[in-house]
Amino acid sequence: MTAVMGRRRCARWMLLLLCCLLLTSPSHAGRRRPRPADSFVGAYGINYGRIANNLPSPDKVVELLRRSKIRNVKIYDEEPTVLEAFKGTGLNLVIAVNNGLLNSFAANDSVAIDWLNKYVQPYISQTRIVGITVGNEVLGGDPNLAAPLVGAVKNMYNGLKKLHLDDKIELFTPHSEAVFATSYPPSACVFKEEIMVYMKPLLDLFSRIGSPFYVNAYPFLAYLSDSGRIDINYALFQPNPGILDPNTSLHYDNMFDAQIDAAYAALQAAGYNNMEVRVAETGWASSGDQSEAGASVENARTYNYNLRKRLFLRKGTPLKPNIPVKAYIFALFNENLKNGDPTEKHYGLFNPDGRISYDIGYSGLLPSSAPASLLSVKEMRAWGWIARCSAAVILSIFLF
């Protein structure tokens, strides 16, 4: 009898130890080297674009973000009113050097110092500026900015180091799918040969300082370009047969994961095996013209709803199962002054008045008539707990 009680007591202690390990293990498993600052909390972030003339004030935006419990925010410039509004909020903020500034940043290293002294140093004690993006979708886009991008990134890093901010602020540049020569199957993805002269020095620097590779991954745009051959359910995280990568025998049931693993494959082919891939932008347009297949409220809601569930699970991809995917959603608001295709104005999770565009579990600043979400925010947050504690629960049932 004493021996049986001893075994049961030992089993209880083993269970307690396992629970502690599960609950205290970091959500960023798979990270190969330390990051400068806690640049991304959890797995879900949002892009706060402001190409519009009808958006709420930055103070109201902060209220909306806090109400929605969105802690990671990325903007496309260095607007002082936004920096001011984020003071004391505890929200992570990534600011940007836009493409129009790349030439001046590359030409003179003092420009980066001046910029940091104007837009970072006065705010960083109270505003959590955790990252700086230099340029956006440059490589594979405007060839005249490729060389300036490399120079601007290097000068920005040197500026951060000189001001002792390099251990506080993450530095990166987001890339579009245009940097890849091919992306299907995912394992065959490689960078375009003509951009490697610029990509390699960027990857060398980012690998050395521990920055991730950021890609703008849009299953919507892939579907838009080839809607006759791509199953929309594969793009929307809906039930579908998926694809099997013949080179790795890995199965993909959604395009989002396949696009991320394609980026991993390109990095590995270029010799950067340990660099993490994160998503700087992803989203689905809720409206467009008749030629823009798939742009609808229903599809936008389905994509963003399923994506949010997928990110809340904090799981990896088929190729990198131990590195949880982290993504910034595009975008916070519909932006009525954006140029380009009609869809460009309709990526927002929220309307300019603060109402939700469609319901994926958020509540806006004002009531909305959008159809109710099938899963509550509370339930979605619980998924992370369930995923991390399921092993302990099963073990406790077995032991007791």
Side-chain angles (χ1 to χ4, degrees):
M1 183 69 175
T2 303
V4 171
M5 290 179 66
R7 285 196 297 270
R8 290 176 66 88
R9 189 178 297 111
C10 180
R12 287 190 180 95
W13 278 108
M14 289 177 63
L15 173 61
L16 179 61
L17 176 61
L18 177 60
C19 289
C20 291
L21 289 172
L22 285 169
L23 295 176
T24 59
S25 60
S27 62
H28 46 267
R31 201 176 264 183
R32 296 293 191 270
R33 63 188 73 213
R35 298 273 186 238
D38 189 6
S39 60
F40 203 121
V41 178
Y44 193 94
I46 198 84
N47 285 284
Y48 170 23
R50 302 189 321 282
I51 305 178
N53 60 8
N54 56 356
L55 298 183
S57 68
D59 289 338
K60 284 291 186 181
V61 171
V62 165
E63 180 185 341
L64 177 63
L65 292 167
R66 297 181 83 169
R67 181 177 297 185
S68 302
K69 293 181 169 52
I70 299 174
R71 295 182 61 187
N72 305 291
V73 185
K74 185 160 72 71
I75 61 175
Y76 292 88
D77 56 17
E78 66 291 85
E79 172 57 41
T81 59
V82 175
L83 296 173
E84 192 70 32
F86 273 67
K87 277 185 175 180
T89 64
L91 301 176
N92 283 353
L93 183 65
V94 175
I95 63 176
V97 175
N98 64 51
N99 291 357
L101 298 175
L102 295 180
N103 280 303
S104 61
F105 270 71
N108 192 330
D109 56 6
S110 67
V111 175
I113 295 287
D114 292 343
W115 189 91
L116 290 168
N117 279 327
K118 184 175 182 179
Y119 297 112
V120 177
Q121 291 283 57
Y123 300 96
I124 196 166
S125 64
Q126 293 179 283
T127 300
R128 284 183 55 83
I129 301 173
V130 297
I132 295 174
T133 65
V134 179
N136 185 49
E137 297 190 338
V138 173
L139 300 186
D142 186 349
N144 296 319
L145 290 179
L149 171 67
V150 178
V153 169
K154 289 182 176 179
N155 284 341
M156 178 60 80
Y157 176 68
N158 290 335
L160 289 169
K161 197 169 182 181
K162 186 173 182 179
L163 296 175
H164 307 290
L165 296 171
D166 55 310
D167 62 342
K168 298 179 177 65
I169 294 177
E170 189 172 78
L171 181 66
F172 61 95
T173 184
H175 301 284
S176 74
E177 297 282 330
V179 300
F180 305 125
T182 180
S183 59
Y184 183 84
S187 61
C189 185
V190 293
F191 292 114
K192 289 178 179 176
E193 186 176 350
E194 63 268 25
I195 70 165
M196 282 308 295
V197 65
Y198 309 110
M199 182 67 81
K200 188 177 187 310
L202 291 174
L203 296 179
D204 284 344
L205 174 61
F206 292 150
S207 178
R208 179 165 58 87
I209 66 177
S211 289
F213 179 88
Y214 273 87
V215 63
N216 294 342
Y218 282 94
F220 169 66
L221 296 180
Y223 177 76
L224 192 62
S225 67
D226 198 4
S227 59
R229 292 197 299 172
I230 296 175
D231 182 353
I232 194 168
N233 292 311
Y234 179 62
L236 292 173
F237 301 95
Q238 294 288 75
N240 69 95
I243 66 162
L244 185 71
D245 189 315
N247 301 319
T248 61
S249 296
L250 294 174
H251 182 264
Y252 292 87
D253 60 13
N254 69 83
M255 187 183 293
F256 180 75
D257 282 5
Q259 289 181 330
I260 295 171
D261 276 356
Y264 273 121
L267 289 169
Q268 291 174 352
Y272 302 90
N273 296 328
N274 295 328
M275 186 172 287
E276 180 185 350
V277 174
R278 294 183 185 173
V279 177
E281 290 182 14
T282 188
W284 198 286
S286 61
S287 183
D289 64 27
Q290 292 183 347
S291 67
E292 296 172 299
S296 70
V297 170
E298 180 182 358
N299 288 339
R301 179 183 181 276
T302 300
Y303 180 79
N304 283 296
Y305 174 79
N306 288 334
L307 174 64
R308 189 165 180 239
K309 287 196 299 182
R310 186 250 179 273
L311 293 174
F312 269 62
L313 290 175
R314 300 191 185 185
K315 66 176 184 176
T317 62
L319 183 63
K320 298 285 187 177
N322 295 322
I323 304 179
V325 175
K326 300 183 177 187
Y328 290 97
I329 312 308
F330 190 84
L332 186 59
F333 295 109
N334 290 323
E335 299 173 71
N336 66 342
L337 297 182
K338 289 203 75 172
N339 296 320
D341 296 330
T343 51
E344 288 292 327
K345 296 179 172 67
H346 301 284
Y347 278 91
L349 299 184
F350 296 90
N351 291 311
D353 62 3
R355 289 183 171 90
I356 56 173
S357 298
Y358 40 82
D359 189 11
I360 61 169
Y362 291 129
S363 58
L365 294 175
L366 295 171
S368 172
S369 59
S373 171
L374 298 177
L375 189 67
S376 72
V377 178
K378 182 177 179 180
E379 289 170 324
M380 292 179 71
R381 282 202 294 273
W383 279 36
W385 173 271
I386 292 168
R388 297 174 70 182
C389 296
S390 56
V393 172
I394 292 170
L395 182 58
S396 67
I397 293 171
F398 176 77
L399 290 173
F400 301 103

